[in-house]
Amino acid sequence: MPATIKTKLKLNQTIHKLSRLLPLGARNRLYPLYLDAAAILIHGSRYYPKGIGIEMSTACNRACGYCPVSTHRIKQRFITDDLLVKIIQRLREFRYDGCINFSFYNEPLIDPNFSRRVKIVHDALPGCILQIYTNGDKLERAVLAELMDAGISTVWVSRHPPYKYEWDKRIFALAKEFPRCVEVVEIGAMVWRNRGGLVRDLPLPNVMAGATMCRMPEYSNITIDGDMLLCCCDFNRENSLGNLNDKSMHDVYFGQAAVECRRRLRRGDFNVSRMCQECIKK
């Protein structure tokens, strides 16, 4: 792992652990300030993307009640190598060197070509920190070794009912053996959103209920078709800011529509879309 990645990863992990010591409200207020400061210091702009998600597939083997997949199943598809290379090209032109997550209402480890594709991203964008969320069902030691060799730095494993002895034994052993890579995220520590109104039965209160502003659009999500969505809560893919097949990352992220949406949401105007209006309801 390059020294620059190690430094950024260590800083991110330290900030992440310290943030866990804070009440949720304080964490939600302070963490964005850290991201703003990092963006200004590194890129000269607080509006630089705080993170980017690339949807590698639409496949998931679970139907968790807190996720739209439980009630809105979609056809299983995998990203093409041609589109992945195009997205990488756009990010290189944009000089992006932040975090990339490969999870978007899916289970990334279902893709038989996932590690190979991660390596394509890592080789082309060696300054980026690559991360995944997984339910852990397919996470074995050999799989984890392959992911780490491909360039994955962080694996967040969500743990929620139904709890199984075999799963716990396997995943906690991996977390103990690879503490700098694997972190088990308990259901009570997760941040809950109603995903634009699509999820009505959350196990804990909706963190966005009654929100007075939103900064989620500062985290870009690129779909399996190349669309950059307004927000990660846009499960139905109804709010595209542009497509990277025919536009540059700069033209989409700093385009008039995207800039205006972020400006309005920062000041608490949730009339940007129906999804945003639903998101702040209890």
Side-chain angles (χ1 to χ4, degrees), residues 23-277:
L24 183 60
R27 188 194 316 170
N28 289 340
R29 288 192 298 271
L30 294 177
Y31 190 61
L33 296 179
Y34 155 70
L35 293 175
D36 276 350
I40 292 171
L41 289 172
I42 299 171
H43 301 285
S45 171
R46 66 181 294 193
Y47 300 108
Y48 192 79
K50 305 302 188 293
I52 287 179
I54 301 177
E55 182 183 33
M56 295 288 220
S57 79
T58 60
C60 190
N61 62 318
R62 289 203 184 192
C64 303
Y66 57 80
C67 176
V69 172
S70 62
T71 54
H72 301 71
R73 304 296 291 191
I74 58 177
K75 184 179 179 181
Q76 179 173 295
R77 293 190 296 140
F78 300 95
I79 197 169
T80 65
D81 285 355
D82 287 344
L83 177 56
L84 181 60
V85 170
K86 172 66 75 172
I87 293 171
I88 292 170
Q89 177 186 341
R90 299 302 195 195
L91 295 179
R92 282 175 60 89
E93 294 168 353
F94 192 65
R95 296 185 179 180
Y96 184 74
D97 63 354
C99 295
I100 297 178
N101 194 300
F102 299 106
S103 307
F104 184 73
Y105 303 105
N106 61 1
E107 171 48 53
L109 300 186
I110 289 179
D111 182 358
N113 294 301
F114 183 69
S115 292
R116 178 181 63 81
R117 288 177 172 139
V118 167
K119 191 172 189 312
I120 293 174
V121 178
H122 178 262
D123 289 348
L125 299 166
C128 290
I129 298 174
L130 308 184
Q131 310 166 322
I132 65 167
Y133 282 92
T134 173
N135 58 38
D137 291 351
K138 297 183 179 296
L139 186 63
E140 306 283 349
R141 193 182 190 284
V143 174
L144 178 60
E146 188 176 85
L147 291 172
M148 294 170 67
D149 286 343
I152 291 291
S153 299
T154 308
V155 177
W156 285 296
V157 189
S158 57
R159 179 178 182 265
H160 41 64
Y163 300 121
K164 296 181 179 180
Y165 173 77
E166 181 280 327
W167 188 100
D168 281 355
K169 181 180 179 181
R170 172 169 46 86
I171 297 303
F172 281 107
L174 291 175
K176 183 177 181 180
E177 184 177 359
F178 302 97
R180 295 187 178 182
C181 179
V182 179
E183 179 178 346
V184 179
V185 183
E186 299 286 352
I187 191 169
M190 297 178 186
V191 176
W192 299 101
R193 297 181 174 85
N194 67 14
R195 303 301 176 183
L198 293 179
V199 180
R200 298 297 183 183
D201 189 22
L202 293 173
L204 291 170
N206 174 20
V207 71
M208 289 300 295
T212 57
M213 59 92 73
C214 178
R215 300 185 57 176
M216 291 305 294
E218 295 175 26
Y219 301 82
S220 298
N221 291 271
I222 303 167
T223 73
I224 199 170
D225 297 308
D227 286 306
M228 184 184 294
L229 300 179
L230 172 63
C231 174
C232 66
C233 291
D234 192 2
F235 175 83
N236 288 329
R237 305 147 198 267
E238 297 173 340
N239 301 274
S240 174
L241 300 172
N243 193 291
L244 296 185
N245 273 300
D246 50 32
K247 291 184 179 180
S248 71
M249 178 73 183
H250 184 278
D251 287 347
V252 176
Y253 186 80
F254 287 114
Q256 182 177 353
V259 170
E260 178 64 11
C261 284
R262 290 194 294 271
R263 183 184 66 82
R264 290 174 63 184
L265 288 167
R266 270 179 174 268
R267 70 183 189 189
D269 180 1
F270 290 91
N271 293 318
V272 166
S273 71
R274 182 198 62 80
M275 173 187 70
C276 296
Q277 294 170 346

